[in-house]
Amino acid sequence: MSKVITILEDKLVPVAAWIAQNKYINGIRRAFIMMMPLLMIGSIFLMISAFPLPAYQRGMTSLFGEGWKDILDIPVSATFSLIALYVAFLVAQQLAKQFELDSIAVGLLSLASFLILTPLGHSTEHGAVITFDWLGSKGMFVAMVIGVLTVKIFQFFVNRNILVKMPDGVPPEVIKSFEALIPGTVILGAALLLRLLMMQTDYGTIHDFVYKMLALPLKSLGTSYIGSIFTVFAISILWSVGINSGSMVNGFVRPFWLENQVENIAALQAGQPLPHVITEQFFDMVWMGGAGVTLSLLIAILIFAKSKHIRSVGAIGTIPGIFNINEPILFGLPIILNPIMLIPFNLVAMVMVTTQYITMNLGIVSKPLGVAFPWPTPAIISGFLTVGDISGSLIQIVNLIIGAMIYLPFLRIIDKASKKEEDEMERLEQMENEGK
């Protein structure tokens, strides 16, 4: 087993280091992190509007009238239904910061390019109709690509000093705005040319082309059962060698989770069945206690462990573990670089993804509503918030018990060894004291 860890260190650590230092990946990841408070605010209004309790719904209707939900849906739409606009700006802005460019100018150029490429309406027999199809989750992939390309083009002009020069004495903010004229004109002109070219194709827009050719296949893979298994395995196996991998791995698949989340919210607002099982909140239900579902291990420790060291680690790690912070147990037990704990640490999350996925598909457990909440939300509460009823809490309880049972045989091995070492030390101390 130690050879396995050595191989993992040799192969995974360099790759993880490259990913952690990659400016493009970091920029996109930071953009989505910055959007999380906005999505949580939208989720608060969604929960108020769609809380799945008939008595609550009747009470709200009697208090505020039949149209009360329409009012609360306005901030929900302003956050989730326009998410591609935020992505277009934030991805470019955060990438521009990575390359020390004018982040606001680049973000605005990216947003303007996205709007140029996005059809916002069509004509009918009743007149023009504004559509928001590509401003929501379906347009996120194109928004990310536009953000990256905008930064690359802007950087090309800055590096070659192809900029409008201003005389000395001009305020810095004016200089910056004029420096963006040449690259900005090229960027927006290229976006317009691309839109005209796509209009000559069967797809009509770059959105339709990218969504059908790239986004849909990647989404199908990333949000499938197999994709979910690979996701939790990648996070756990990297943590096994001490690499904080959650945000790193999630950065690749979060756009697809977010699209599913937005589509579930739209179905909920329309009173239709929820179409998707896999959203980011699905994984929030899995990671009880943090990576490796270490809350299950803590339960096993508190009930079965006999070693003083392991029980003390369990006691110290319990409160943080309830709020999904597991560094005390990862480094205190330890789990990281521990050959014995490598198997359960990587297995438990995959088992829980399986039980949760199957029960949601069978209708035993409700599907995620799309409500976003802070990651430290404790287990049981997070399950209820995710699906909107007690079935989410119950599957978490079942999974915690299953996880504890998987951890227990491996815990017994390290607990027995630790207890034997402690007993030997106590025996030697006693002999030393008697000798005195």
Side-chain angles (χ1 to χ4, degrees):
M1 190 67 73
S2 58
K3 291 183 178 179
V4 174
I5 290 182
T6 301
I7 293 172
L8 291 176
E9 285 184 298
D10 292 341
K11 301 297 182 182
L12 292 180
V13 171
V15 174
W18 176 83
I19 292 174
Q21 295 171 5
N22 187 280
K23 293 182 178 181
Y24 295 98
I25 295 174
N26 275 329
I28 294 172
R29 178 175 59 84
R30 290 179 183 180
F32 279 93
I33 290 173
M34 290 188 69
M35 280 197 303
M36 289 308 297
L38 185 67
L39 300 182
M40 288 180 186
I41 293 169
S43 294
I44 292 171
F45 285 98
L46 177 65
M47 281 297 294
I48 297 171
S49 168
F51 192 75
L53 191 65
Y56 167 82
Q57 293 289 334
R58 290 193 298 270
M60 294 294 285
T61 301
S62 64
L63 284 173
F64 302 107
E66 293 291 339
W68 72 275
K69 295 180 74 171
D70 296 334
I71 302 299
L72 290 178
D73 283 345
I74 294 173
V76 177
S77 298
T79 51
F80 290 101
S81 299
L82 301 177
I83 199 165
L85 295 178
Y86 308 133
V87 170
F89 176 82
L90 286 173
V91 166
Q93 185 220 17
Q94 290 300 308
L95 275 176
K97 285 185 176 180
Q98 298 283 308
F99 292 102
E100 299 181 353
L101 302 172
D102 184 350
S103 61
I104 299 299
V106 174
L108 290 173
L109 287 170
S110 175
L111 177 60
S113 300
F114 177 80
L115 291 172
I116 288 173
L117 287 164
T118 304
L120 297 178
H122 60 272
S123 299
T124 67
E125 58 183 5
H126 302 292
V129 176
I130 296 177
T131 59
F132 294 85
D133 293 348
W134 299 111
L135 299 182
S137 59
K138 288 178 67 176
M140 280 198 305
F141 198 86
V142 168
M144 285 190 293
V145 173
I146 290 173
V148 173
L149 291 177
T150 299
V151 171
K152 291 296 293 181
I153 296 172
F154 199 96
Q155 186 183 30
F156 174 87
F157 283 89
V158 170
N159 288 346
R160 287 159 181 78
N161 205 26
I162 307 175
L163 306 167
V164 173
K165 304 298 181 184
M166 299 296 292
D168 295 336
V170 176
E173 57 272 14
V174 176
I175 293 175
K176 279 191 173 183
S177 63
F178 274 89
E179 284 181 345
L181 279 177
I182 295 176
T185 302
V186 172
I187 289 167
L188 298 188
L192 179 60
L193 178 61
L194 179 57
R195 176 163 181 169
L196 294 174
L197 291 174
M198 292 305 303
M199 289 172 63
Q200 310 307 314
T201 68
D202 294 335
Y203 293 99
T205 68
I206 189 64
H207 286 281
D208 199 43
F209 172 77
V210 170
Y211 190 75
K212 290 178 179 177
M213 297 300 292
L214 293 175
L216 274 181
L218 289 173
K219 177 187 172 185
S220 298
L221 176 62
T223 60
S224 66
Y225 167 70
I226 299 299
S228 302
I229 289 292
F230 274 115
T231 298
V232 295
F233 177 73
I235 291 173
S236 297
I237 200 68
L238 288 168
W239 260 117
S240 298
V241 291
I243 299 170
N244 190 335
S245 53
S247 59
M248 182 191 308
V249 175
N250 291 348
F252 289 99
V253 286
R254 182 172 280 126
F256 306 118
W257 293 343
L258 190 54
E259 183 175 348
N260 281 3
Q261 180 183 347
V262 173
E263 290 176 5
N264 275 12
I265 289 172
L268 180 67
Q269 289 177 304
Q272 299 172 349
L274 304 181
H276 302 294
V277 168
I278 303 299
T279 66
E280 184 162 3
Q281 292 71 46
F282 174 92
F283 294 95
D284 289 336
M285 286 181 64
V286 170
W287 296 124
M288 294 177 285
V293 197
T294 49
L295 191 58
S296 285
L297 176 57
L298 284 167
I299 292 171
I301 288 173
L302 295 176
I303 296 175
F304 298 103
K306 297 179 180 179
S307 162
K308 292 180 181 178
H309 166 70
I310 292 178
R311 289 191 66 83
S312 65
V313 170
I316 293 169
T318 296
I319 298 301
I322 290 173
F323 296 95
N324 305 320
I325 299 167
N326 62 351
E327 279 77 3
I329 193 167
L330 288 178
F331 296 97
L333 197 61
I335 293 175
I336 292 172
L337 298 178
N338 186 333
I340 296 172
M341 300 305 294
L342 179 65
I343 294 174
F345 185 74
N346 288 279
L347 178 62
V348 169
M350 293 191 286
V351 171
M352 292 190 180
V353 164
T354 301
T355 58
Q356 202 167 279
Y357 187 87
I358 291 173
T359 52
M360 286 184 176
N361 269 306
L362 292 177
I364 300 171
V365 176
S366 303
K367 295 179 180 178
L369 299 175
V371 174
F373 49 84
W375 62 266
T377 303
I380 315 303
I381 297 174
S382 64
F384 181 84
L385 292 176
T386 296
V387 306
D389 58 56
I390 198 66
S391 66
S393 300
L394 292 177
I395 191 61
Q396 285 190 307
I397 293 172
V398 171
N399 272 340
L400 282 172
I401 295 171
I402 293 172
M405 293 171 63
I406 294 173
Y407 269 116
L408 185 56
F410 302 91
L411 171 64
R412 287 192 184 279
I413 294 172
I414 63 172
D415 184 57
K416 183 178 179 180
S418 180
K419 183 68 166 62
K420 183 179 179 181
E421 184 178 342
E422 289 170 1
D423 289 344
E424 181 65 20
M425 289 181 64
E426 287 181 4
R427 188 182 67 84
L428 292 174
E429 286 179 4
Q430 184 176 3
M431 290 177 60
E432 185 179 344
N433 291 333
E434 289 176 355
K436 291 180 179 179

